Amino acid sequence: MAKDVKPRVRVPKSAKAGEVILIKTLISHPMESGQRKDSKGEVIPRSIINRFTAEMNGVMIVDMKLEPAISTNPYFEFEARIDAGGDMIFTWYDDDGSVYTDKQPVAVA
Amino acid sequence: MTLSRRQTIALALGAAAAAAVPLPALAKIEEAIAAFTGGAAVGEGGITLTAPEIAENGNTVPVQVSAPGAVAILLVASGNPEPGICLARFGEGAGSQMFATRIRLASTQDVVAIAQMADGSFVRAASEVKVTIGGCGG
């Protein structure tokens, strides 16, 4: 079980209708690759975030399948088109079954 | 030109190393790509992969992929223990078919991005990244 998993997301608070905005997300997670060995020479079991999604008003923005080659504290940057105001919902799926979510409101000015 | 015994051995070793090292990794990456494309032909152009030429720390290498009009982008590495890095699928709400992330690279190798376009065709882009310190804890 990964400890102290904390999502951090940067989303503009408001946008014009139809505007494309840049989203930056980071989640603190060790992303243990399953390749490393501990001091006794035993393989440390894999423990990563295997999926990340971002959606708004039920519309998918991006859905990513992740492998151990993603760095510790997975960082993603992508763009979303804002048609109407609402909550942007970010979800991270851990190998251990945990699901972490974050929600950011975006207003249409 | 005559080769000394020592030179001949060095040449033979070099050739053997060159032949032996990339093959298994190459087979793996081709498999990963085929699983994504379903064996379809992969073209060039229409996709941009931005990666550093030299990465001092293989634990966190920033990369960016952009492929306007793509529905999905697969990112693979030729020299990692496992070729897969990530697979991004873009939905209706995407403002552009672009993402940036940070990846692990075990050693100097090619990073390959394959994009599936809306019409079902595939394009690829590759970039070699020289890695000073590998990032797989091995």
Side-chain angles (χ1 to χ4, degrees):
Chain A
M1 173 75 198
K3 280 185 283 185
D4 303 327
V5 175
K6 189 176 171 228
R8 265 167 278 182
V9 175
R10 182 164 291 179
V11 181
K13 283 199 171 60
S14 69
K16 294 192 190 77
E19 191 181 341
V20 170
I21 58 173
L22 183 68
I23 320 286
K24 295 176 179 184
T25 73
L26 182 85
I27 187 163
S28 48
H29 192 281
M31 292 293 278
E32 191 57 62
S33 69
Q35 300 282 346
R36 297 200 307 155
K37 290 176 179 161
D38 61 16
S39 51
K40 295 190 197 90
E42 283 164 35
V43 172
I44 306 171
R46 173 183 133 153
S47 169
I48 68 164
I49 287 177
N50 55 46
R51 184 170 173 227
F52 165 69
T53 63
E55 59 185 298
M56 188 167 183
N57 299 333
V59 177
M60 190 59 77
I61 299 165
V62 67
D63 183 343
M64 303 191 68
K65 181 177 178 289
L66 312 179
E67 305 282 349
I70 296 290
S71 299
T72 303
N73 303 339
Y75 168 81
F76 297 105
E77 206 180 291
F78 52 90
E79 291 183 316
R81 194 188 62 246
I82 304 302
D83 292 325
D87 285 333
M88 202 173 276
I89 294 165
F90 304 90
T91 316
W92 293 261
Y93 299 86
D94 197 309
D95 266 354
D96 66 13
S98 313
V99 176
Y100 317 107
T101 56
D102 194 25
K103 194 166 78 173
Q104 295 288 333
V106 179
V108 166
Chain B
M1 174 177 146
T2 51
L3 290 175
S4 71
R5 192 179 130 103
R6 187 169 292 179
Q7 279 171 328
T8 313
I9 290 173
L11 267 179
L13 277 179
V21 171
L23 275 180
L26 224 61
K28 257 188 178 177
I29 187 174
E30 291 306 330
E31 239 170 64
I33 293 172
F36 177 59
T37 62
V42 177
E44 301 272 336
I47 177 167
T48 316
L49 171 63
T50 312
E53 226 171 273
I54 297 174
E56 281 178 14
N57 183 357
N59 266 313
T60 167
V61 182
V63 293
Q64 184 176 1
V65 196
S66 173
V71 291
I73 298 178
L74 175 77
L75 201 58
V76 287
S78 60
N80 275 359
E82 293 292 332
I85 299 173
C86 68
L87 169 63
R89 289 193 180 281
F90 297 100
E92 296 275 310
S96 68
Q97 284 67 44
M98 177 283 279
F99 71 90
T101 185
R102 297 172 188 153
I103 65 172
R104 290 179 176 139
L105 295 175
S107 60
T108 297
Q109 58 183 283
D110 284 336
V111 177
V112 181
I114 313 265
Q116 180 180 16
M117 293 303 182
D119 63 3
S121 65
F122 294 91
V123 290
R124 69 180 274 161
S127 177
E128 192 193 26
V129 181
K130 291 186 167 56
V131 176
T132 315
I133 301 169
C136 280

